Amino acid sequence: MRRTAGPAVAVATVAWCAMGLGGCTNTGEGTAPARSRTPTAATVTAGPTGAAPAAARLTIKDFAFKPAALSVRPGGTVTVVNKDSTTHTVTATSAKAFDTGSIGPGRTVTFKAPAKAGSYPFRCTIHPYMKGTLTVR
């Protein structure tokens, strides 16, 4: 006849696990560093009056504009960061409202948004499938 482990072994196992986990409680007295959240460019929000921000940041990565739609005040500063491995442009598709020229890999450029409120579609002239919209308000 074969003998199996009895209830005493099961109780001992549960007690051993409970002792091991008992030291894992969070009493709030730990030394973990405090977390802080640094806002990113995509989290720039409008002021209390609902006006667009005075500055905006556009990142080029993976052959896409991020964010693809951004807002800024008339005459505001737009910073463009190329995090891709190739050259790109940010060029308004109508009225030549803005054109960064060639932005090499790892380079950053800035330009002034148009002074007139409106919606300004743009694209990369090297990769025309890359599109976005700058809203000036």
Side-chain angles (χ1 to χ4, degrees), residues 31-112:
T31 59
R35 290 185 179 179
S36 66
R37 184 169 183 264
T38 304
T40 62
T43 60
V44 174
T45 57
T49 62
R57 182 181 179 105
L58 181 65
T59 300
I60 303 170
K61 186 173 182 182
D62 301 325
F63 289 85
F65 295 114
K66 298 176 185 179
L70 64 156
S71 296
V72 70
R73 291 181 189 153
T77 301
V78 179
T79 300
V80 183
V81 181
N82 184 357
K83 291 187 177 182
D84 248 341
S85 59
T86 191
T87 300
H88 294 287
T89 72
V90 178
T91 307
T93 58
S94 62
K96 299 291 181 195
F98 52 88
D99 185 356
T100 62
S102 296
I103 309 167
R107 305 288 295 192
T108 299
V109 300
T110 60
F111 69 91
K112 292 289 182 191

